[in-house]
Amino acid sequence: SYVLTQPPSVSVAPGQTARITCGGNNVGRNNVHWYQQKPGQAPVLVVYDDSDRPSGIPERLSGSKSGNTATLTISRVEAGDEADYYCQVWDSSSDQDVFGTGTKVTVL
Amino acid sequence: EVQLVESGGGLVQPGGSLRLSCAASGFSFSSYWMYWVRQAPGKGLVWVSRINTDGSSASYADSVKGRFTISRDNAKNTLYLQMNSLRAEDTAMYYCARKADDSNYGDYWGQGTLVTVSS
């Protein structure tokens, strides 16, 4: 089945930049979406269709894609960015949605 | 304001059944596809199922195919997940989410309902 691989953890100092990757076959051919999940809370959409942001999401969070790897970049990291982040794509061949393995962002 | 409220979770024995509900408000429920997504304790998000606007088409993750059935009642603005032959590995928080109308992502999520499968 389709697998989206993310690094388990990323650590970053306040004010620095965090980059979270999401890799998998066919990522390049599918729209990638990103969610933020804080402990005890439901996921929140932060980037959709590779690089678009829903209203209310700060510009510090941005998405990009190159080949079969998508990247969520968090600039000027703040303590409030500490959370788990998941990528997601729809696999057209199986008509199933798939989430990435998840990345825990720790703000030092 | 879009609201999704899940209910129906609880403790069930292996092999048992449970039906989850997701009550929707604040939007035209019948116009949107819907998702179920689950998360085992301490683990990542896992997509479970998706249903189209009138309930005539659904997709399932391989891990639940043949055991779970997604359905909806547009008159009641409610999404359902019928779960049969439950296993310990089905223990998770179950979230419903609204699928965006122009792409394949969940733009609004409920707070979840916890299902525990244990003897």
Side-chain angles (χ1 to χ4, degrees):
Chain A
S1 60
Y2 197 69
V3 176
L4 295 175
T5 301
Q6 300 179 231
S9 62
V10 168
S11 297
V12 58
Q16 298 304 303
T17 297
R19 293 181 179 85
I20 305 164
T21 56
C22 172
N25 293 335
N26 303 327
V27 162
R29 295 208 300 264
N30 293 293
N31 286 333
V32 179
H33 320 294
W34 291 91
Y35 303 87
Q36 176 193 72
Q37 186 181 33
K38 296 184 178 179
Q41 297 184 19
V44 172
L45 180 73
V46 293
V47 167
Y48 65 95
D49 291 350
D50 296 341
S51 59
D52 291 333
R53 266 185 312 275
S55 60
I57 301 301
E59 292 183 5
R60 300 184 300 102
L61 278 70
S62 62
S64 62
K65 193 166 67 178
S66 177
N68 280 332
T69 299
T71 301
L72 176 69
T73 300
I74 310 173
S75 304
R76 303 180 299 283
V77 165
E78 303 173 355
D81 298 325
E82 192 162 278
D84 295 325
Y85 292 82
Y86 297 90
C87 58
Q88 178 241 324
V89 302
W90 171 63
D91 176 29
S92 57
S93 63
S94 64
D95 190 27
Q96 295 179 343
D97 291 86
V98 181
F99 285 96
T101 49
T103 299
K104 180 176 181 60
V105 170
T106 299
V107 180
L108 301 172
Chain B
E1 177 193 6
V2 172
Q3 283 200 326
L4 297 169
V5 180
E6 301 92 338
S7 62
L11 176 63
V12 61
Q13 292 188 340
S17 298
L18 211 56
R19 188 176 82 156
L20 307 183
S21 300
C22 169
S25 60
F27 66 101
S28 177
F29 178 71
S30 61
S31 299
Y32 287 85
W33 295 40
M34 297 293 294
Y35 293 125
W36 284 103
V37 174
R38 70 184 182 183
Q39 186 172 36
K43 302 298 185 181
L45 300 175
V46 175
W47 176 79
V48 172
S49 185
R50 180 195 338 112
I51 190 168
N52 68 346
T53 53
D54 64 4
S56 62
S57 177
S59 297
Y60 298 91
D62 292 345
S63 58
V64 306
K65 204 172 294 183
R67 300 187 300 123
F68 290 11
T69 302
I70 191 172
S71 63
R72 63 192 298 161
D73 186 335
N74 287 341
K76 294 183 178 179
N77 290 340
T78 303
L79 174 73
Y80 301 102
L81 185 67
Q82 177 67 44
M83 304 185 296
N84 298 331
S85 302
L86 282 162
R87 307 165 180 167
E89 54 264 36
D90 295 318
T91 294
M93 183 72 77
Y94 284 75
Y95 297 99
C96 66
R98 189 182 83 168
K99 177 186 166 309
D101 59 5
D102 58 352
S103 189
N104 295 290
Y105 58 87
D107 57 359
Y108 288 92
W109 294 63
Q111 287 303 305
T113 187
L114 182 62
V115 172
T116 302
V117 183
S118 175
S119 55

